[in-house]
């Protein structure tokens, strides 16, 4: 992991690929105060259970911040040279932005512009959703397209980019 104060690490992978566990290990290795920015919303009972399991798995070494929409504002509030911040995950953030009918391009540009200014060590997780079949409905295609554009922007700004498959990291940048 890049140890300079200006480089974010971006971790991509499919569902249940091991990307969150890998990202948590990266943050733990920094030795810095651990902050977890959760973008997920408990839309149903299954998601509530997943969120609770993630909290339990992380334990009390982490300070959790739940922020479904104002990701940049949350990062700015937590940012500090002695902090490592894990954002999990961008695709849930995209869903929340779509549901709230936010200006996707402006939100994405805001996050991309913030990354080089961060003082904390940032590790950002997202689901790679563009490797499968073309979704059958317009909303799902819009989601896939939004996620793809956001991933390109974040990867361009990140010092390190990893793709995780079957729990194995492939370093793509850095």
């Amino acid at each position: 992991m890049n140890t300079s104060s200006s480089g974010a690490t971006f971790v991509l992978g499919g569902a249940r690929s091991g990307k969150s566990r890998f990202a948590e290990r990266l943050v733990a290795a920094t030795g810095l105060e651990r902050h977890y920015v959760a973008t997920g919303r408990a839309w149903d009972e299954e998601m509530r259970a997943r969120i609770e399991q993630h909290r339990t798995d992380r334990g009390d070494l982490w300070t959790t911040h739940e922020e479904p929409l104002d990701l940049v504002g949350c990062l700015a509030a937590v940012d500090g040279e002695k902090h490592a911040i894990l954002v999990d995950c961008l695709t849930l953030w995209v869903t929340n932005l779509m549901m709230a009918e936010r200006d996707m391009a402006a939100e994405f540009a805001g996050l991309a512009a913030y990354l080089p200014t961060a003082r904390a060590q940032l590790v950002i997780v997202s689901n790679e959703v563009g490797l499968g079949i073309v979704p059958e409905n317009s909303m799902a295609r819009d989601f896939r397209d939004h996620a793809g554009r956001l991933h390109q922007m974040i990867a361009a700004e990140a010092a390190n980019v990893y793709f995780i498959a079957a729990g194995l990291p492939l370093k793509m940048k850095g």
Side-chain angles (χ1 to χ4, degrees):
M1 183 167 150
N2 179 12
T3 57
S4 74
S5 62
S6 62
T9 296
F10 189 31
V11 179
L12 286 164
R16 296 288 173 252
S17 63
K19 62 192 174 297
S20 293
R21 181 173 292 128
F22 178 77
E24 289 171 8
R25 286 195 307 259
L26 288 177
V27 168
T30 67
L32 299 170
E33 184 178 311
R34 301 176 199 177
H35 291 266
Y36 185 97
V37 176
T39 62
R41 284 184 163 168
W43 296 103
D44 57 25
E45 197 53 47
E46 178 194 6
M47 191 61 174
R48 268 186 209 81
R50 283 178 181 249
I51 289 170
E52 191 53 43
Q53 186 62 54
H54 275 279
R55 273 193 202 120
T56 300
D57 290 348
R58 280 193 311 275
D60 49 353
L61 294 175
W62 295 79
T63 301
T64 300
H65 311 270
E66 295 181 0
E67 183 48 61
L69 293 170
D70 186 14
L71 182 54
V72 173
C74 183
L75 289 172
V78 177
D79 199 1
E81 291 177 5
K82 296 182 180 182
H83 295 175
I85 304 170
L86 172 57
V87 177
D88 201 354
C89 87
L90 290 186
T91 45
L92 291 173
W93 183 56
V94 168
T95 298
N96 297 335
L97 294 174
M98 288 179 70
M99 299 301 282
E101 299 181 0
R102 299 288 276 268
D103 180 340
M104 306 300 275
E107 296 284 349
F108 295 175
L111 179 58
Y114 179 76
L115 295 184
T117 71
R119 294 171 295 144
Q121 291 291 307
L122 297 177
V123 178
I124 302 167
V125 173
S126 198
N127 289 293
E128 179 51 70
V129 296
L131 297 174
I133 61 171
V134 175
E136 69 177 29
N137 66 72
S138 177
M139 184 177 190
R141 285 189 300 275
D142 286 346
F143 170 78
R144 180 211 49 202
D145 293 349
H146 286 310
R149 283 189 287 274
L150 175 59
H151 291 166
Q152 290 179 57
M153 294 173 76
I154 301 308
E157 292 298 330
N160 300 289
V161 178
Y162 291 91
F163 186 80
I164 311 299
L168 301 173
L170 171 63
K171 192 164 194 178
M172 301 173 71
K173 179 182 178 183

